[in-house]
Amino acid sequence: MSHSTSSALPKIAILASGRGSNFDAIADAVAQGKLAAEIVCVLSDRADAPVLTKASARGLRAIHVAPPATSAGDLDSRRRVHDQEVVTALRAVQAEWIVMAGYMRVVTPVLLDAFKVQSGDYSRVVNIHPSLLPAFPGVESYQRAFEHGCALAGVTVHLVSEGVDAGPICAQESFAIGECRDVAEIERLGLAIEHRLYPQTLQWLLHQNFKLVQHKERLSVRKS
Ligand code: GRF
């Protein structure tokens, strides 16, 4: 598979499982010329995901790839089979980058290897996570920050590698939650940041305006 981004606009596939507010923010940024990219499809593991309806309403290609039935093997092999079907679908639309926005699945090397750059340093797969990673990986991160009594919560955009929410950090932003009375308030504040930070970060990331920095524990991605 070619990963060339020499075409005028990088071709992105958005992977999402649910509501799709980040998809909306990205699609708006593209429409407004703030993000120079072409959305070649929106793909979901859930047939009833509102994000698919939103994509179709914008005239974008909406693709559903159902995960294998739980009777079809162990969890890891089912994940791999699903990822292979996703890769096939994304190749068909010539996606160059995968942009995850609320995609509620653990991905395997099948998908990561298909989008690996030639140097092998990273895969062209990006995610947004609602915490200051490495704090609170996994689900319900805003809720866990609230329940923990944190004074700050945050948002992280990162490249995806094996492991849950574990890849190189591209951008982070924190916000104060000490005065928040419930999780809904935190989520409202956080999503407003997500919807700005994700398109902004994608604009330099997709156009390769970054350098990789090796730290003691892992790589990070810094805007250059
Ligand atoms: C966002 O909070 C995102 O950070 C997380 O899942 C949520 C998706 O929300 N990964 P939406 O579907 O984009 O509205």
Side-chain angles (χ1 to χ4, degrees), residues 19-93:
R19 173 177 63 186
S21 71
N22 277 286
F23 156 69
D24 268 332
I26 292 165
D28 285 346
V30 169
Q32 293 161 6
K34 293 178 184 163
L35 173 58
E38 181 191 351
I39 302 173
V40 291
C41 74
V42 175
L43 184 149
S44 184
D45 55 319
R46 287 190 39 197
D48 61 351
V51 70
L52 290 180
T53 316
K54 289 182 172 182
S56 300
R58 286 179 184 262
L60 295 170
R61 195 184 275 108
I63 301 172
H64 170 229
V65 178
T70 46
S71 56
D74 64 74
L75 182 59
D76 186 56
S77 55
R78 281 186 274 128
R79 282 179 174 153
R80 285 169 181 270
V81 167
H82 185 254
D83 277 356
Q84 188 53 60
E85 289 182 25
V86 169
V87 167
T88 302
L90 298 187
R91 281 191 173 138
V93 295

Side-chain angles (χ1 to χ4, degrees), residues 199-217:
Q200 269 177 4
T201 307
L202 290 171
Q203 174 61 15
W204 55 259
L205 193 63
L206 303 182
H207 293 274
Q208 313 281 349
N209 295 325
F210 63 80
K211 54 180 189 283
L212 297 172
V213 183
Q214 181 66 56
H215 305 269
K216 189 169 176 205
E217 285 193 22

Side-chain angles (χ1 to χ4, degrees), residues 16 18-23 101-104 127-130 142 155 187 191 194-195:
R19 173 177 63 186
S21 71
N22 277 286
F23 156 69
Y103 187 58
M104 302 302 287
N127 184 42
I128 187 159
H129 183 76
Y142 287 141
V155 173
E187 192 178 15
L191 281 171
E194 293 187 31
H195 298 161

Side-chain angles (χ1 to χ4, degrees), residues 75-213:
L75 182 59
D76 186 56
S77 55
R78 281 186 274 128
R79 282 179 174 153
R80 285 169 181 270
V81 167
H82 185 254
D83 277 356
Q84 188 53 60
E85 289 182 25
V86 169
V87 167
T88 302
L90 298 187
R91 281 191 173 138
V93 295
Q94 296 176 321
E96 293 164 335
W97 281 85
I98 295 178
V99 175
M100 294 180 176
Y103 187 58
M104 302 302 287
R105 293 186 64 82
V106 174
V107 296
T108 68
V110 170
L111 184 133
L112 295 174
D113 289 350
F115 282 80
K116 197 154 263 182
V117 294
Q118 224 158 24
S119 63
D121 289 338
Y122 64 92
S123 296
R124 288 196 174 117
V125 184
V126 199
N127 184 42
I128 187 159
H129 183 76
S131 80
L132 290 175
L133 289 172
F136 304 125
V139 296
E140 295 175 347
S141 304
Y142 287 141
Q143 183 166 342
R144 286 189 286 148
F146 179 63
E147 288 172 359
H148 198 88
C150 294
L152 294 174
V155 173
T156 304
V157 178
H158 65 96
L159 294 180
V160 177
S161 61
E162 269 194 87
V164 176
D165 303 317
I169 290 170
C170 307
Q172 288 189 305
E173 203 168 306
S174 63
F175 58 101
I177 62 168
E179 302 296 317
C180 289
R181 278 169 305 179
D182 53 29
V183 185
E185 201 178 334
I186 296 174
E187 192 178 15
R188 213 164 32 245
L189 295 170
L191 281 171
I193 293 173
E194 293 187 31
H195 298 161
R196 174 175 45 74
L197 187 66
Y198 210 2
Q200 269 177 4
T201 307
L202 290 171
Q203 174 61 15
W204 55 259
L205 193 63
L206 303 182
H207 293 274
Q208 313 281 349
N209 295 325
F210 63 80
K211 54 180 189 283
L212 297 172
V213 183

